[in-house]
């Protein structure tokens, strides 16, 4: 799949594999708040925070933890699956 695939049908294109932790974190913020053209989508936000944390964003770790407390376990599992899929594409 191309790196520009969309998270949600009306969502923003995913960043490419060269994205930094800060870029992924900022995109996660958009999804966690429903701003900047992104729909409010906790699964996508968690996925982006997870990827950002893997790339060194300390803030993303904090936001991911807070967000997961508001999500159902199956939503967290889906976010983790999507993160693995994104990594496999890169």
């Amino acid at each position: 799949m191309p790196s520009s695939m969309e998270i949600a049908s009306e969502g923003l294109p995913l960043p490419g594999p060269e994205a930094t932790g800060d870029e992924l974190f900022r995109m996660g913020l958009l999804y966690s708040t429903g701003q900047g053209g992104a729909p409010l989508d906790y699964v996508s936000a968690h996925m982006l925070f997870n990827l950002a944390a893997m790339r060194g964003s300390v803030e993303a770790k904090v936001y991911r933890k807070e967000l997961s407390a508001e999500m159902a376990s199956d939503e967290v599992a889906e976010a983790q699956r999507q993160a693995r899929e994104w990594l496999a594409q890169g």
Side-chain angles (χ1 to χ4, degrees), residues 5-13 31 37 39 41 44:
M5 80 172 212
E6 294 185 3
I7 298 175
S9 59
E10 71 281 358
L12 302 172
Y31 277 94
D41 182 346
S44 296

Side-chain angles (χ1 to χ4, degrees), residues 7 14-15 20-34 40-71 79-80 82-83 86:
I7 298 175
L14 279 170
T20 67
D22 287 339
E23 291 168 334
L24 293 163
F25 172 71
R26 283 192 297 275
M27 184 167 258
L29 283 177
L30 295 177
Y31 277 94
S32 69
T33 59
L40 181 62
D41 182 346
Y42 286 174
V43 172
S44 296
H46 187 286
M47 177 201 74
L48 289 159
F49 289 149
N50 194 27
L51 293 168
M54 292 174 66
R55 299 233 169 143
S57 173
V58 176
E59 289 176 300
K61 291 178 183 180
V62 173
Y63 279 72
R64 180 185 61 194
K65 183 178 179 179
E66 289 178 3
L67 193 58
S68 60
E70 298 181 32
M71 298 169 66
Q80 292 170 336
Q82 289 180 16
W86 185 85

